[in-house]
Short mmCIF file of all heavy atoms in Angstrom, two decimals:
data_model
loop_
_atom_site.label_atom_id
_atom_site.label_comp_id
_atom_site.label_asym_id
_atom_site.label_seq_id
_atom_site.Cartn_x
_atom_site.Cartn_y
_atom_site.Cartn_z
N MET A 1 -72.76 40.24 49.99
CA MET A 1 -73.68 39.32 50.63
C MET A 1 -75.10 39.87 50.61
O MET A 1 -76.04 39.12 50.40
CB MET A 1 -73.18 39.06 52.06
CG MET A 1 -73.99 38.05 52.79
SD MET A 1 -73.68 36.42 52.07
CE MET A 1 -74.63 35.44 53.14
N TYR A 2 -75.24 41.17 50.83
CA TYR A 2 -76.57 41.77 50.84
C TYR A 2 -77.22 41.67 49.46
O TYR A 2 -78.41 41.39 49.37
CB TYR A 2 -76.48 43.23 51.29
CG TYR A 2 -77.81 43.94 51.26
CD1 TYR A 2 -78.78 43.64 52.20
CD2 TYR A 2 -78.10 44.85 50.25
CE1 TYR A 2 -80.02 44.26 52.15
CE2 TYR A 2 -79.33 45.48 50.20
CZ TYR A 2 -80.28 45.19 51.16
OH TYR A 2 -81.50 45.80 51.12
N ARG A 3 -76.44 41.89 48.42
CA ARG A 3 -76.99 41.82 47.06
C ARG A 3 -77.48 40.41 46.73
O ARG A 3 -78.50 40.23 46.09
CB ARG A 3 -75.95 42.26 46.03
CG ARG A 3 -75.65 43.72 46.10
CD ARG A 3 -74.63 44.09 45.07
NE ARG A 3 -74.27 45.49 45.22
CZ ARG A 3 -73.31 46.07 44.55
NH1 ARG A 3 -72.61 45.38 43.68
NH2 ARG A 3 -73.05 47.34 44.74
N THR A 4 -76.73 39.44 47.18
CA THR A 4 -77.13 38.05 46.96
C THR A 4 -78.46 37.76 47.65
O THR A 4 -79.34 37.11 47.08
CB THR A 4 -76.04 37.10 47.49
OG1 THR A 4 -74.81 37.44 46.87
CG2 THR A 4 -76.39 35.66 47.19
N PHE A 5 -78.63 38.24 48.88
CA PHE A 5 -79.88 38.04 49.61
C PHE A 5 -81.04 38.73 48.90
O PHE A 5 -82.13 38.16 48.80
CB PHE A 5 -79.75 38.57 51.04
CG PHE A 5 -81.02 38.48 51.82
CD1 PHE A 5 -81.52 37.25 52.23
CD2 PHE A 5 -81.74 39.62 52.13
CE1 PHE A 5 -82.69 37.17 52.94
CE2 PHE A 5 -82.93 39.54 52.83
CZ PHE A 5 -83.40 38.32 53.24
N VAL A 6 -80.82 39.92 48.38
CA VAL A 6 -81.88 40.65 47.68
C VAL A 6 -82.29 39.91 46.41
O VAL A 6 -83.49 39.76 46.13
CB VAL A 6 -81.42 42.10 47.36
CG1 VAL A 6 -82.40 42.78 46.42
CG2 VAL A 6 -81.26 42.89 48.65
N ILE A 7 -81.33 39.41 45.66
CA ILE A 7 -81.63 38.66 44.44
C ILE A 7 -82.37 37.37 44.78
O ILE A 7 -83.35 37.02 44.12
CB ILE A 7 -80.34 38.36 43.65
CG1 ILE A 7 -79.77 39.67 43.09
CG2 ILE A 7 -80.60 37.37 42.53
CD1 ILE A 7 -78.39 39.53 42.49
N ALA A 8 -81.94 36.68 45.81
CA ALA A 8 -82.61 35.43 46.22
C ALA A 8 -84.03 35.70 46.67
O ALA A 8 -84.96 34.95 46.34
CB ALA A 8 -81.82 34.76 47.33
N ARG A 9 -84.24 36.79 47.41
CA ARG A 9 -85.59 37.11 47.89
C ARG A 9 -86.51 37.45 46.72
O ARG A 9 -87.64 36.96 46.65
CB ARG A 9 -85.53 38.28 48.86
CG ARG A 9 -86.88 38.58 49.49
CD ARG A 9 -86.81 39.72 50.43
NE ARG A 9 -86.35 40.88 49.63
CZ ARG A 9 -86.17 42.07 50.13
NH1 ARG A 9 -86.36 42.31 51.38
NH2 ARG A 9 -85.77 43.07 49.36
N HIS A 10 -86.05 38.24 45.79
CA HIS A 10 -86.87 38.60 44.63
C HIS A 10 -87.17 37.39 43.75
O HIS A 10 -88.28 37.26 43.21
CB HIS A 10 -86.21 39.71 43.82
CG HIS A 10 -86.30 41.05 44.47
ND1 HIS A 10 -87.48 41.75 44.56
CD2 HIS A 10 -85.36 41.80 45.08
CE1 HIS A 10 -87.27 42.89 45.20
NE2 HIS A 10 -85.99 42.94 45.53
N THR A 11 -86.19 36.51 43.61
CA THR A 11 -86.41 35.29 42.84
C THR A 11 -87.46 34.41 43.50
O THR A 11 -88.33 33.85 42.83
CB THR A 11 -85.09 34.52 42.68
OG1 THR A 11 -84.13 35.38 42.08
CG2 THR A 11 -85.27 33.28 41.84
N ALA A 12 -87.39 34.27 44.83
CA ALA A 12 -88.37 33.46 45.55
C ALA A 12 -89.77 34.05 45.44
O ALA A 12 -90.75 33.33 45.22
CB ALA A 12 -87.96 33.33 47.01
N VAL A 13 -89.89 35.37 45.57
CA VAL A 13 -91.20 36.02 45.46
C VAL A 13 -91.76 35.85 44.06
O VAL A 13 -92.95 35.58 43.88
CB VAL A 13 -91.08 37.51 45.84
CG1 VAL A 13 -92.34 38.27 45.48
CG2 VAL A 13 -90.79 37.65 47.33
N GLU A 14 -90.92 35.98 43.06
CA GLU A 14 -91.37 35.81 41.68
C GLU A 14 -91.81 34.37 41.42
O GLU A 14 -92.82 34.13 40.75
CB GLU A 14 -90.25 36.18 40.72
CG GLU A 14 -90.64 36.07 39.27
CD GLU A 14 -89.50 36.42 38.32
OE1 GLU A 14 -88.60 37.18 38.73
OE2 GLU A 14 -89.52 35.92 37.20
N ALA A 15 -91.09 33.39 41.98
CA ALA A 15 -91.47 31.99 41.79
C ALA A 15 -92.78 31.68 42.49
O ALA A 15 -93.61 30.93 41.97
CB ALA A 15 -90.36 31.08 42.33
N MET A 16 -93.00 32.26 43.67
CA MET A 16 -94.24 32.01 44.40
C MET A 16 -95.45 32.68 43.76
O MET A 16 -96.58 32.30 44.03
CB MET A 16 -94.09 32.49 45.84
CG MET A 16 -93.20 31.63 46.67
SD MET A 16 -93.13 32.24 48.34
CE MET A 16 -91.46 31.85 48.77
N ALA A 17 -95.22 33.64 42.90
CA ALA A 17 -96.32 34.33 42.24
C ALA A 17 -96.85 33.53 41.05
O ALA A 17 -97.95 33.80 40.56
CB ALA A 17 -95.87 35.70 41.76
N GLN A 18 -96.12 32.51 40.62
CA GLN A 18 -96.54 31.70 39.49
C GLN A 18 -97.67 30.76 39.90
O GLN A 18 -97.67 30.23 41.01
CB GLN A 18 -95.37 30.87 38.96
CG GLN A 18 -94.20 31.70 38.48
CD GLN A 18 -94.55 32.57 37.31
OE1 GLN A 18 -95.32 32.17 36.45
NE2 GLN A 18 -93.97 33.75 37.27
N PRO A 19 -98.64 30.53 39.02
CA PRO A 19 -99.75 29.63 39.36
C PRO A 19 -99.31 28.18 39.60
O PRO A 19 -99.92 27.47 40.38
CB PRO A 19 -100.68 29.70 38.15
CG PRO A 19 -100.18 30.79 37.30
CD PRO A 19 -98.81 31.15 37.73
N ILE A 20 -98.25 27.75 38.95
CA ILE A 20 -97.80 26.36 39.11
C ILE A 20 -97.28 26.12 40.51
O ILE A 20 -97.31 25.00 41.01
CB ILE A 20 -96.74 26.01 38.05
CG1 ILE A 20 -96.42 24.52 38.06
CG2 ILE A 20 -95.45 26.73 38.30
CD1 ILE A 20 -97.11 23.77 37.01
N TYR A 21 -96.83 27.15 41.20
CA TYR A 21 -96.28 27.02 42.54
C TYR A 21 -97.32 26.45 43.50
O TYR A 21 -97.04 25.50 44.24
CB TYR A 21 -95.76 28.37 43.04
CG TYR A 21 -95.19 28.31 44.43
CD1 TYR A 21 -93.92 27.80 44.65
CD2 TYR A 21 -95.92 28.74 45.52
CE1 TYR A 21 -93.40 27.73 45.92
CE2 TYR A 21 -95.41 28.67 46.80
CZ TYR A 21 -94.15 28.18 46.99
OH TYR A 21 -93.64 28.10 48.26
N LEU A 22 -98.52 27.00 43.48
CA LEU A 22 -99.57 26.51 44.38
C LEU A 22 -99.98 25.08 44.03
O LEU A 22 -100.25 24.27 44.92
CB LEU A 22 -100.78 27.43 44.34
CG LEU A 22 -100.57 28.79 44.99
CD1 LEU A 22 -101.80 29.66 44.80
CD2 LEU A 22 -100.25 28.63 46.46
N LEU A 23 -100.02 24.77 42.75
CA LEU A 23 -100.36 23.42 42.32
C LEU A 23 -99.32 22.42 42.80
O LEU A 23 -99.66 21.37 43.37
CB LEU A 23 -100.48 23.36 40.80
CG LEU A 23 -100.81 22.01 40.20
CD1 LEU A 23 -102.21 21.59 40.61
CD2 LEU A 23 -100.66 22.05 38.71
N VAL A 24 -98.06 22.72 42.61
CA VAL A 24 -96.98 21.82 43.03
C VAL A 24 -96.96 21.71 44.56
O VAL A 24 -96.76 20.62 45.11
CB VAL A 24 -95.62 22.31 42.49
CG1 VAL A 24 -94.46 21.58 43.13
CG2 VAL A 24 -95.57 22.16 40.99
N LEU A 25 -97.20 22.81 45.25
CA LEU A 25 -97.23 22.79 46.71
C LEU A 25 -98.37 21.92 47.23
O LEU A 25 -98.19 21.11 48.15
CB LEU A 25 -97.37 24.22 47.25
CG LEU A 25 -97.26 24.40 48.75
CD1 LEU A 25 -95.86 24.05 49.21
CD2 LEU A 25 -97.59 25.82 49.12
N ALA A 26 -99.54 22.03 46.62
CA ALA A 26 -100.68 21.22 47.04
C ALA A 26 -100.46 19.74 46.75
O ALA A 26 -100.75 18.88 47.59
CB ALA A 26 -101.94 21.71 46.33
N ILE A 27 -99.93 19.42 45.58
CA ILE A 27 -99.66 18.02 45.24
C ILE A 27 -98.61 17.44 46.19
O ILE A 27 -98.75 16.32 46.68
CB ILE A 27 -99.21 17.89 43.77
CG1 ILE A 27 -100.38 18.19 42.84
CG2 ILE A 27 -98.64 16.51 43.49
CD1 ILE A 27 -99.98 18.29 41.38
N GLY A 28 -97.58 18.21 46.45
CA GLY A 28 -96.53 17.74 47.36
C GLY A 28 -97.04 17.50 48.76
O GLY A 28 -96.71 16.48 49.38
N ALA A 29 -97.85 18.41 49.28
CA ALA A 29 -98.39 18.24 50.63
C ALA A 29 -99.32 17.03 50.70
O ALA A 29 -99.26 16.25 51.66
CB ALA A 29 -99.12 19.51 51.05
N ALA A 30 -100.14 16.85 49.69
CA ALA A 30 -101.07 15.72 49.69
C ALA A 30 -100.32 14.39 49.61
O ALA A 30 -100.64 13.44 50.34
CB ALA A 30 -102.04 15.84 48.51
N LEU A 31 -99.32 14.31 48.77
CA LEU A 31 -98.58 13.06 48.64
C LEU A 31 -97.71 12.78 49.86
O LEU A 31 -97.52 11.62 50.24
CB LEU A 31 -97.76 13.05 47.38
CG LEU A 31 -98.60 12.85 46.12
CD1 LEU A 31 -97.74 12.95 44.87
CD2 LEU A 31 -99.30 11.51 46.15
N MET A 32 -97.18 13.80 50.51
CA MET A 32 -96.42 13.58 51.73
C MET A 32 -97.32 13.03 52.83
O MET A 32 -96.92 12.16 53.60
CB MET A 32 -95.73 14.86 52.19
CG MET A 32 -94.58 15.29 51.31
SD MET A 32 -93.29 14.06 51.18
CE MET A 32 -92.57 14.19 52.79
N CYS A 33 -98.56 13.52 52.91
CA CYS A 33 -99.51 12.97 53.88
C CYS A 33 -99.86 11.53 53.52
O CYS A 33 -99.96 10.67 54.40
CB CYS A 33 -100.78 13.83 53.92
SG CYS A 33 -100.52 15.44 54.65
N LEU A 34 -100.02 11.26 52.24
CA LEU A 34 -100.31 9.90 51.80
C LEU A 34 -99.15 8.96 52.11
O LEU A 34 -99.37 7.83 52.57
CB LEU A 34 -100.61 9.88 50.30
CG LEU A 34 -100.96 8.53 49.70
CD1 LEU A 34 -102.31 8.07 50.23
CD2 LEU A 34 -100.96 8.62 48.20
N PHE A 35 -97.92 9.41 51.88
CA PHE A 35 -96.76 8.58 52.18
C PHE A 35 -96.66 8.29 53.67
O PHE A 35 -96.18 7.24 54.08
CB PHE A 35 -95.46 9.23 51.72
CG PHE A 35 -95.28 9.25 50.23
CD1 PHE A 35 -94.57 10.27 49.63
CD2 PHE A 35 -95.83 8.27 49.43
CE1 PHE A 35 -94.41 10.30 48.26
CE2 PHE A 35 -95.66 8.29 48.05
CZ PHE A 35 -94.94 9.31 47.47
N GLY A 36 -97.12 9.22 54.51
CA GLY A 36 -97.11 9.00 55.95
C GLY A 36 -98.10 7.93 56.38
O GLY A 36 -97.90 7.26 57.39
N LEU A 37 -99.16 7.75 55.62
CA LEU A 37 -100.18 6.76 55.97
C LEU A 37 -99.89 5.37 55.41
O LEU A 37 -100.36 4.37 55.95
CB LEU A 37 -101.54 7.23 55.47
CG LEU A 37 -102.06 8.53 56.09
CD1 LEU A 37 -103.35 8.94 55.40
CD2 LEU A 37 -102.26 8.38 57.57
N LEU A 38 -99.15 5.31 54.32
CA LEU A 38 -98.86 4.02 53.69
C LEU A 38 -97.76 3.27 54.44
O LEU A 38 -96.75 3.87 54.81
CB LEU A 38 -98.41 4.22 52.24
CG LEU A 38 -99.45 4.72 51.27
CD1 LEU A 38 -98.81 4.98 49.93
CD2 LEU A 38 -100.59 3.74 51.14
N PRO A 39 -97.93 1.99 54.65
CA PRO A 39 -96.84 1.23 55.28
C PRO A 39 -95.77 0.89 54.24
O PRO A 39 -96.07 0.58 53.10
CB PRO A 39 -97.53 -0.03 55.77
CG PRO A 39 -98.68 -0.20 54.86
CD PRO A 39 -99.12 1.19 54.45
N PHE A 40 -94.53 0.99 54.65
CA PHE A 40 -93.42 0.57 53.80
C PHE A 40 -92.90 -0.74 54.38
O PHE A 40 -92.20 -0.76 55.25
CB PHE A 40 -92.27 1.59 53.86
CG PHE A 40 -92.56 2.91 53.27
CD1 PHE A 40 -92.69 4.03 54.07
CD2 PHE A 40 -92.69 3.07 51.92
CE1 PHE A 40 -92.94 5.27 53.53
CE2 PHE A 40 -92.94 4.30 51.36
CZ PHE A 40 -93.07 5.40 52.18
N PHE A 41 -93.06 -1.82 53.87
CA PHE A 41 -92.64 -3.07 54.48
C PHE A 41 -91.12 -3.14 54.49
O PHE A 41 -90.49 -3.81 53.68
CB PHE A 41 -93.28 -4.23 53.72
CG PHE A 41 -94.76 -4.17 53.75
CD1 PHE A 41 -95.47 -3.71 52.65
CD2 PHE A 41 -95.45 -4.51 54.89
CE1 PHE A 41 -96.85 -3.63 52.70
CE2 PHE A 41 -96.82 -4.43 54.95
CZ PHE A 41 -97.53 -3.98 53.85
N THR A 42 -90.50 -2.42 55.44
CA THR A 42 -89.05 -2.24 55.45
C THR A 42 -88.39 -2.82 56.68
O THR A 42 -87.23 -2.51 56.95
CB THR A 42 -88.71 -0.76 55.36
OG1 THR A 42 -89.35 -0.08 56.44
CG2 THR A 42 -89.11 -0.17 54.05
N LEU A 43 -89.08 -3.59 57.47
CA LEU A 43 -88.51 -4.27 58.63
C LEU A 43 -87.89 -3.30 59.64
O LEU A 43 -86.75 -3.45 60.06
CB LEU A 43 -87.48 -5.31 58.19
CG LEU A 43 -88.00 -6.39 57.25
CD1 LEU A 43 -86.88 -7.27 56.77
CD2 LEU A 43 -89.09 -7.20 57.93
N GLY A 44 -88.63 -2.27 60.01
CA GLY A 44 -88.21 -1.40 61.10
C GLY A 44 -87.52 -0.11 60.72
O GLY A 44 -87.15 0.65 61.60
N VAL A 45 -87.29 0.14 59.46
CA VAL A 45 -86.65 1.39 59.07
C VAL A 45 -87.64 2.27 58.30
O VAL A 45 -87.29 2.89 57.30
CB VAL A 45 -85.35 1.15 58.25
CG1 VAL A 45 -84.24 0.62 59.12
CG2 VAL A 45 -85.61 0.24 57.09
N ASP A 46 -88.86 2.32 58.80
CA ASP A 46 -89.91 3.09 58.13
C ASP A 46 -89.58 4.58 58.08
O ASP A 46 -89.85 5.25 57.09
CB ASP A 46 -91.25 2.91 58.84
CG ASP A 46 -91.82 1.52 58.62
OD1 ASP A 46 -91.41 0.88 57.64
OD2 ASP A 46 -92.65 1.10 59.43
N THR A 47 -88.99 5.11 59.15
CA THR A 47 -88.67 6.54 59.18
C THR A 47 -87.65 6.89 58.10
O THR A 47 -87.82 7.89 57.40
CB THR A 47 -88.11 6.92 60.56
OG1 THR A 47 -89.06 6.52 61.55
CG2 THR A 47 -87.88 8.41 60.65
N LYS A 48 -86.62 6.09 57.97
CA LYS A 48 -85.61 6.35 56.93
C LYS A 48 -86.23 6.27 55.54
O LYS A 48 -85.95 7.08 54.68
CB LYS A 48 -84.45 5.37 57.05
CG LYS A 48 -83.34 5.65 56.06
CD LYS A 48 -82.23 4.64 56.17
CE LYS A 48 -81.10 4.86 55.22
NZ LYS A 48 -81.41 5.33 53.92
N MET A 49 -87.09 5.28 55.33
CA MET A 49 -87.73 5.12 54.03
C MET A 49 -88.64 6.30 53.73
O MET A 49 -88.67 6.80 52.61
CB MET A 49 -88.51 3.80 54.01
CG MET A 49 -89.06 3.47 52.67
SD MET A 49 -87.72 3.08 51.56
CE MET A 49 -88.62 2.44 50.21
N PHE A 50 -89.39 6.77 54.75
CA PHE A 50 -90.26 7.91 54.56
C PHE A 50 -89.45 9.15 54.19
O PHE A 50 -89.83 9.90 53.29
CB PHE A 50 -91.06 8.18 55.84
CG PHE A 50 -91.93 9.39 55.77
CD1 PHE A 50 -93.08 9.40 55.01
CD2 PHE A 50 -91.60 10.54 56.47
CE1 PHE A 50 -93.89 10.51 54.94
CE2 PHE A 50 -92.39 11.66 56.40
CZ PHE A 50 -93.54 11.65 55.63
N LEU A 51 -88.34 9.37 54.86
CA LEU A 51 -87.49 10.52 54.54
C LEU A 51 -86.91 10.42 53.13
O LEU A 51 -86.86 11.41 52.40
CB LEU A 51 -86.37 10.66 55.57
CG LEU A 51 -86.80 11.08 56.96
CD1 LEU A 51 -85.62 11.02 57.91
CD2 LEU A 51 -87.41 12.46 56.94
N ASP A 52 -86.46 9.24 52.75
CA ASP A 52 -85.89 9.05 51.42
C ASP A 52 -86.93 9.28 50.32
O ASP A 52 -86.67 9.97 49.33
CB ASP A 52 -85.29 7.66 51.27
CG ASP A 52 -84.01 7.49 52.07
OD1 ASP A 52 -83.42 8.52 52.46
OD2 ASP A 52 -83.63 6.33 52.31
N VAL A 53 -88.11 8.70 50.49
CA VAL A 53 -89.17 8.87 49.49
C VAL A 53 -89.62 10.33 49.43
O VAL A 53 -89.82 10.88 48.35
CB VAL A 53 -90.36 7.93 49.79
CG1 VAL A 53 -91.56 8.28 48.94
CG2 VAL A 53 -89.97 6.49 49.57
N GLY A 54 -89.75 10.96 50.59
CA GLY A 54 -90.14 12.37 50.63
C GLY A 54 -89.11 13.26 49.95
O GLY A 54 -89.47 14.15 49.16
N ARG A 55 -87.85 13.02 50.22
CA ARG A 55 -86.79 13.81 49.60
C ARG A 55 -86.78 13.62 48.09
O ARG A 55 -86.64 14.58 47.32
CB ARG A 55 -85.45 13.39 50.20
CG ARG A 55 -84.51 14.52 50.42
CD ARG A 55 -83.24 14.10 51.11
NE ARG A 55 -83.45 13.95 52.54
CZ ARG A 55 -83.10 12.89 53.24
NH1 ARG A 55 -82.51 11.88 52.69
NH2 ARG A 55 -83.34 12.85 54.54
N ASP A 56 -86.92 12.40 47.64
CA ASP A 56 -86.94 12.13 46.21
C ASP A 56 -88.14 12.79 45.54
O ASP A 56 -88.03 13.33 44.43
CB ASP A 56 -86.98 10.63 45.94
CG ASP A 56 -85.70 9.94 46.33
OD1 ASP A 56 -84.67 10.64 46.46
OD2 ASP A 56 -85.73 8.71 46.51
N PHE A 57 -89.28 12.75 46.21
CA PHE A 57 -90.47 13.35 45.63
C PHE A 57 -90.37 14.87 45.58
O PHE A 57 -90.79 15.48 44.60
CB PHE A 57 -91.72 12.93 46.41
CG PHE A 57 -92.97 13.28 45.70
CD1 PHE A 57 -93.34 12.60 44.56
CD2 PHE A 57 -93.76 14.32 46.14
CE1 PHE A 57 -94.49 12.95 43.87
CE2 PHE A 57 -94.91 14.66 45.46
CZ PHE A 57 -95.27 13.97 44.33
N VAL A 58 -89.79 15.47 46.59
CA VAL A 58 -89.59 16.93 46.57
C VAL A 58 -88.67 17.32 45.42
O VAL A 58 -88.91 18.29 44.71
CB VAL A 58 -89.05 17.42 47.92
CG1 VAL A 58 -88.52 18.84 47.83
CG2 VAL A 58 -90.12 17.32 48.99
N LEU A 59 -87.61 16.54 45.21
CA LEU A 59 -86.72 16.83 44.09
C LEU A 59 -87.42 16.69 42.75
O LEU A 59 -87.20 17.49 41.83
CB LEU A 59 -85.50 15.90 44.14
CG LEU A 59 -84.51 16.19 45.25
CD1 LEU A 59 -83.43 15.10 45.30
CD2 LEU A 59 -83.88 17.54 45.07
N LEU A 60 -88.31 15.72 42.63
CA LEU A 60 -89.08 15.55 41.39
C LEU A 60 -90.02 16.75 41.17
O LEU A 60 -90.12 17.26 40.05
CB LEU A 60 -89.88 14.25 41.44
CG LEU A 60 -90.75 13.97 40.23
CD1 LEU A 60 -89.87 13.73 39.01
CD2 LEU A 60 -91.67 12.80 40.50
N LEU A 61 -90.68 17.20 42.22
CA LEU A 61 -91.57 18.35 42.08
C LEU A 61 -90.80 19.63 41.74
O LEU A 61 -91.27 20.45 40.95
CB LEU A 61 -92.38 18.55 43.36
CG LEU A 61 -93.47 17.52 43.60
CD1 LEU A 61 -94.14 17.77 44.94
CD2 LEU A 61 -94.49 17.52 42.49
N VAL A 62 -89.64 19.80 42.32
CA VAL A 62 -88.82 20.96 41.98
C VAL A 62 -88.40 20.90 40.52
O VAL A 62 -88.40 21.92 39.82
CB VAL A 62 -87.59 21.05 42.92
CG1 VAL A 62 -86.58 22.06 42.40
CG2 VAL A 62 -88.04 21.40 44.32
N LEU A 63 -88.06 19.72 40.06
CA LEU A 63 -87.68 19.56 38.65
C LEU A 63 -88.87 19.93 37.74
O LEU A 63 -88.68 20.63 36.74
CB LEU A 63 -87.26 18.12 38.38
CG LEU A 63 -86.91 17.78 36.95
CD1 LEU A 63 -85.64 18.51 36.55
CD2 LEU A 63 -86.73 16.29 36.80
N LEU A 64 -90.06 19.50 38.08
CA LEU A 64 -91.23 19.82 37.28
C LEU A 64 -91.55 21.31 37.33
O LEU A 64 -91.99 21.90 36.34
CB LEU A 64 -92.43 19.01 37.74
CG LEU A 64 -92.38 17.52 37.48
CD1 LEU A 64 -93.57 16.82 38.10
CD2 LEU A 64 -92.31 17.25 35.99
N ALA A 65 -91.36 21.93 38.47
CA ALA A 65 -91.68 23.35 38.62
C ALA A 65 -90.71 24.22 37.83
O ALA A 65 -91.08 25.27 37.32
CB ALA A 65 -91.66 23.75 40.08
N THR A 66 -89.46 23.77 37.71
CA THR A 66 -88.49 24.59 36.97
C THR A 66 -88.61 24.33 35.50
O THR A 66 -88.30 25.11 34.69
CB THR A 66 -87.05 24.29 37.41
OG1 THR A 66 -86.78 22.92 37.27
CG2 THR A 66 -86.83 24.73 38.83
#
């Protein structure tokens, strides 16, 4: 278990050292703020729609980063 944690930590540090990481993080934060301001005409389930769109967008950014 300890070895797995060490490998995961080093992998995360190496990924965060890449220049694309900051770019993807900034784009993701900006678009999540934008999604919070935009109305979703969903008849009362805005929170669920916001979570779904946010989750989908995070998955897309992770795909682009890898």
Side-chain angles (χ1 to χ4, degrees):
M1 184 70 176
Y2 177 72
R3 291 180 185 173
T4 305
F5 176 70
V6 170
I7 292 171
R9 185 181 60 180
H10 285 289
T11 303
V13 168
E14 182 181 334
M16 288 182 215
Q18 300 296 324
I20 189 99
Y21 179 78
L22 289 176
L23 179 67
V24 169
L25 186 66
I27 291 171
L31 285 176
M32 289 301 288
C33 290
L34 181 69
F35 289 150
L37 297 175
L38 292 175
F40 293 110
F41 301 102
T42 57
L43 302 174
V45 288
D46 289 338
T47 305
K48 183 182 180 323
M49 187 68 169
F50 176 73
L51 290 174
D52 289 342
V53 169
R55 218 175 281 130
D56 292 341
F57 192 71
V58 166
L59 288 174
L60 179 66
L61 288 176
V62 168
L63 177 68
L64 291 175
T66 55

